Amino acid sequence: MAAATSFAGELTRADLERRFAPPLRVGDKAGDVPVWPIGSELAPDDGPVGWAFESIDLAPIPGFEGTPINLLIALDARGNFMSVEVLRQHEPVFLGGLGESPLHEFVRQYAGRNLSQSITVSTIYGASSAAEGAGNRVVLDGITKATASVRIVNQTVLTAAVAVARARLGFAAPSIAGPPARAREDRYEQRSFGDLLDTGAIATLRLANRDAEALFADSDAAGLDPAALAAPGETFVELYVAWLNPPGIGRTILGDAGFAELQRALEPGQQAWWVATAGRTSFLDEHFVRGTAPARLTLRQGGVPFELRDADLDPRTPPGAPPLNAALVLKAAPLAGVDPGSVQDFELTFARARGAILPEITHRGVHVNYRAPESYFERPPAPPPDWLIAWQDRRTDLTVIGAALALLAAVLARPRWISLSPRRLKLFRFGFLAFTLGYLGWHAQGQLSIVQLTGAVKMLYAGQSLASYLYDPVSLLLIAFTLASSLAWGRGAFCGWLCPFGALQEFAAHLGRLCRLPQRRLPRRLAQWLDRGRYALLLALVGAAAFAPRVAGKLVEVEPFKTAITVGFDRTWPFVAYAGVLLALGAVYYKFFCRYLCPLGAAMVLGGKLRLLRWLPRRRECGKPCQRCRHRCAYDAIDRNGAIRYDDCFQCLDCVGIYHDPERCAPVMLLRRKARHIC
């Protein structure tokens, strides 16, 4: 229940009135959809000019940290964004890291954009911005070091706005087949009215008097039309429907001048139809007013009704058409989303009244299904989902990192050659750690963090999916590799080779040795106490993520990863000082934070319990009596009896090199010495 209430909107009408000053005025919040109508004192009778709503009420999409971002969004009656404002967010990169200012600048870019546009976010990792202005696509400027977070913001804005547009603007759900089809403007062939009828470009339905009478046969309105009874075979109504956007249809029906006038009247993406009737009955009733929707005609697609309004044009009677009693050009709303490439269901309804005082009205309807031939339209390819765009933008990074992971897996699987030479191992290790720190960490922002674990706990506890992780492909790739490598090698593949802050600590330790700083080890009991404390901290973080999310948001600052890696020390001084102290301790006490404080490391140890192999080679003499590897192990991961504690091993491969080197492995050296003595 606590999690559910945290996803509720937080603004009152008074809060909205402070944001929308006169002549705008805020109405009461709607009951069916959580939106506030925004009216205008300059046109009080024209209805809302826009709607304001909180994204958390309509699209509580979890952020990178696991808590939904709450935005105040305002849409006008044409689907244009009036404004987007950040109300509440818990993204780690914006809390004490980059600060909220870049996020506020990002959401200001939505003002003036339209929902009918394809809105995506650019990134320094890809070439999305190069597509700016291509077709109907809009690319917003992203935020460096916050790529995943701003993509989640964009998805939140669009999901919430589309929900409101469907409810208030008649915006349709996306077609299963993809984006709505569009008219082929490059194809025109002179056709006659009869040709259009024969090919189905004009749909028609003829209803004789007897057919109309049959519609009411099961009601009290049967037999109330004397003309129909007198001439049952004559035409009651003949309905004609045609999509006007393709030049091959529109120019034939409206003529060149009429089609040009229609093009000027339509907004981008707006659809129009020619509807006409012949016979005794019209599709217009006596109350019809130009510029409004005909009461007798309804368009549905996929079960969704759409309002068609008179475009206030006067279409000519096409050459070859029968005598018509009514003809109009009708257009859907610009954002309606009607797909002209799919079947459109037009319903024409009739009414009969029985009785003079308080008459009983009976309605009956007929349907005509219409779809223009495929030669008149083309269907644009469906745009990829935003998360897939994120993967496409990072394909270079994913390729480079994937190659590095493959190399690391090969080295760990067959470590003999690389570890046999101390110099070769040192060069490879420092080179790979430099790649981890510089490329994987500072450039690709691939630092795994306890925030990803606590975020997952928050999402699952609140009943949310983990789909937001799709927006961070680099982290997902590393998570997948870490899970797989835990089965083979335990926690050390990540902690020893792939953690950017761990790499930074290793360089700090190397710098400490170059500066001749004393290299110390904690007393064994203190080291054991601190090691157990990591698990208590991990438990506290996971519990807080589920039951006290705001507390968890503060506790995760025990990690210096955001300070040192995500924002590159560009942060307020207490956080920089904390990271600096940890690195200074690491220069004296080897990898102090990794071994004694890191809650993510504690989680990695638990994951390492899944390890299936004891892959580090040992001899019978290891520990009994040989202690060389134990004394050389900077991680204190080897017991006196020679057994390796995989929970503490960072897989630096030093002991593997000693094992295979006959010039360093004491049991082998002793055996060779005895062999020479015997000889």
Side-chain angles (χ1 to χ4, degrees):
M1 290 177 60
T5 55
S6 68
F7 290 173
E10 56 193 49
L11 297 182
T12 64
R13 180 175 175 177
D15 295 325
L16 270 292
E17 288 174 339
R18 285 193 291 271
R19 289 171 166 84
F20 297 94
L24 298 178
R25 61 183 183 184
V26 181
D28 293 326
K29 193 172 186 178
D32 56 341
V33 182
V35 297
W36 286 274
I38 308 296
S40 174
E41 296 174 353
L42 303 178
D45 299 326
D46 289 351
V49 299
W51 288 268
F53 47 94
E54 294 180 68
S55 65
I56 204 166
D57 288 329
L58 298 156
I61 300 174
F64 185 79
E65 181 265 349
T67 304
I69 299 164
N70 194 18
L71 307 163
L72 176 62
I73 305 169
L75 274 182
D76 70 13
R78 291 182 172 271
N80 297 308
F81 286 99
M82 300 166 65
S83 63
V84 177
E85 175 188 344
V86 179
L87 296 178
R88 178 161 41 90
Q89 60 87 23
H90 296 83
E91 295 302 279
V93 72
F94 298 124
L95 294 177
L98 299 175
E100 288 197 342
S101 178
L103 181 57
H104 291 301
E105 293 179 10
F106 172 77
V107 299
R108 278 196 285 269
Q109 297 178 83
Y110 287 95
R113 307 296 189 181
N114 191 279
L115 259 184
S116 64
Q117 298 172 307
S118 176
I119 301 176
T120 58
V121 180
S122 70
T123 167
I124 62 169
Y125 303 109
S128 295
S129 57
E132 176 72 58
N136 200 36
R137 191 179 187 200
V138 172
V139 181
L140 306 180
D141 292 332
I143 302 175
T144 304
K145 300 183 183 297
T147 305
S149 292
V150 295
R151 289 193 185 279
I152 294 170
V153 169
N154 185 56
Q155 191 64 38
T156 299
V157 170
L158 297 182
T159 302
V162 167
V164 172
R166 290 175 186 167
R168 289 293 182 264
L169 304 180
F171 194 75
S175 167
I176 297 176
R182 57 193 178 202
R184 295 197 60 170
E185 299 180 357
D186 60 341
R187 178 171 296 183
Y188 171 72
E189 295 180 11
Q190 184 69 38
R191 297 290 182 92
S192 66
F193 188 84
D195 291 337
L196 296 182
L197 282 174
D198 293 339
T199 59
I202 298 177
T204 182
L205 174 70
R206 180 182 181 275
L207 209 63
N209 283 333
R210 67 169 63 91
D211 301 321
E213 191 62 30
L215 292 174
F216 295 93
D218 61 346
S219 69
D220 293 338
L224 295 184
D225 186 352
L229 296 175
E234 292 186 4
T235 300
F236 177 74
V237 68
E238 193 162 6
L239 176 67
Y240 297 92
V241 175
W243 180 36
L244 291 175
N245 292 64
I249 302 176
R251 288 174 62 181
T252 300
I253 294 176
L254 302 178
D256 292 344
F259 183 73
E261 185 180 8
L262 173 65
Q263 293 296 96
R264 291 191 293 269
L266 295 180
E267 297 185 26
Q270 191 173 21
Q271 310 299 331
W273 290 264
W274 176 73
V275 180
T277 48
R280 292 179 49 224
T281 303
S282 166
F283 75 101
L284 303 177
D285 61 21
E286 63 274 15
H287 303 295
F288 174 72
V289 177
R290 293 301 302 267
T292 65
R296 290 181 176 175
L297 190 70
T298 302
L299 168 62
R300 288 185 177 85
Q301 189 172 67
V304 178
F306 297 92
E307 183 183 70
L308 296 181
R309 302 181 71 87
D310 173 30
D312 205 16
L313 303 176
D314 292 313
R316 66 172 188 172
T317 298
L324 305 174
N325 56 37
L328 287 179
V329 173
L330 301 177
K331 59 182 181 179
L335 284 177
V338 181
D339 181 12
S342 302
V343 175
Q344 304 126 58
D345 177 18
F346 288 86
E347 182 183 16
L348 183 60
T349 59
F350 312 103
R352 285 187 181 181
R354 184 180 185 89
I357 301 175
L358 298 177
E360 181 181 348
I361 309 296
T362 302
H363 294 88
R364 293 291 185 269
V366 293
H367 297 260
V368 57
N369 289 330
Y370 173 72
R371 180 176 180 268
E374 291 193 13
S375 59
Y376 290 102
F377 64 83
E378 60 184 358
R379 191 177 294 281
D386 208 32
W387 66 264
L388 184 56
I389 295 176
W391 284 74
Q392 292 171 344
D393 286 344
R394 302 299 298 273
R395 56 181 170 264
T396 300
D397 288 329
L398 294 174
T399 301
V400 172
I401 295 170
L405 296 179
L407 174 62
L408 177 62
V411 168
L412 294 180
R414 294 288 186 269
R416 186 181 188 280
W417 181 83
I418 199 73
S419 62
L420 191 59
S421 165
R423 182 173 181 274
R424 186 163 56 226
L425 176 60
K426 183 176 181 180
L427 288 175
F428 175 77
R429 180 160 178 81
F430 277 103
F432 198 95
L433 291 178
F435 166 83
T436 296
L437 176 61
Y439 191 92
L440 186 59
W442 284 329
H443 168 73
Q445 293 291 289
Q447 172 73 67
L448 297 188
S449 166
I450 196 65
V451 171
Q452 285 150 326
L453 179 59
T454 57
V457 171
K458 290 181 184 180
M459 290 182 233
L460 295 175
Y461 184 73
Q464 301 286 323
S465 75
L466 301 179
S468 58
Y469 282 87
L470 290 172
Y471 293 93
D472 190 3
V474 170
S475 293
L476 264 187
L477 177 60
L478 290 173
I479 290 171
F481 180 84
T482 301
L483 291 175
S485 64
S486 295
L487 296 175
W489 305 299
R491 55 80 64 97
F494 173 79
C495 294
W497 295 89
L498 295 173
C499 178
F501 187 77
L504 185 60
Q505 279 215 111
E506 189 136 349
F507 287 123
H510 186 63
L511 181 62
R513 289 191 292 268
L514 290 178
C515 295
R516 302 182 181 277
L517 296 179
Q519 300 299 299
R520 302 184 181 277
R521 299 194 182 200
L522 292 179
R524 185 169 184 80
R525 295 192 63 181
L526 176 60
Q528 291 175 341
W529 184 84
L530 287 175
D531 182 64
R532 295 190 188 102
R534 291 189 304 161
Y535 299 97
L537 179 58
L538 174 63
L539 180 63
L541 283 166
V542 172
F547 302 106
R550 295 189 178 182
V551 175
K554 296 184 179 353
L555 287 179
V556 295
E557 291 293 351
V558 71
E559 280 188 342
F561 300 168
K562 179 167 65 176
T563 300
I565 305 301
T566 305
V567 297
F569 295 98
D570 184 13
R571 208 174 177 193
T572 54
W573 74 265
F575 296 100
V576 175
Y578 173 64
V581 167
L582 291 177
L583 290 173
L585 285 171
V588 177
Y589 297 95
Y590 189 69
K591 300 190 87 163
F592 177 85
F593 176 80
C594 297
R595 296 168 61 195
Y596 303 122
L597 294 180
C598 182
L600 180 63
M604 293 290 180
V605 170
L606 297 178
K609 301 291 186 182
L610 301 173
R611 177 182 50 80
L612 302 176
L613 306 175
R614 300 179 65 85
W615 66 282
L616 292 172
R618 297 279 84 194
R619 299 185 190 279
R620 185 176 55 187
E621 295 85 0
C622 293
K624 300 182 290 289
C626 182
Q627 301 290 320
R628 180 164 190 170
C629 289
R630 185 176 74 85
H631 289 307
R632 287 291 305 272
C633 182
Y635 300 95
D636 295 326
I638 303 178
D639 287 330
R640 284 184 176 274
N641 63 6
I644 293 176
R645 296 192 307 274
Y646 284 88
D647 289 349
D648 298 326
C649 177
F650 281 62
Q651 292 162 18
C652 64
L653 303 182
D654 280 343
C655 65
V656 177
I658 294 174
Y659 177 92
H660 288 295
D661 189 352
E663 301 299 329
R664 289 187 291 161
C665 181
V668 175
M669 293 169 63
L670 180 60
L671 186 62
R672 292 174 62 193
R673 191 175 298 120
K674 287 182 177 180
R676 284 196 298 269
H677 179 71
I678 293 174
C679 292

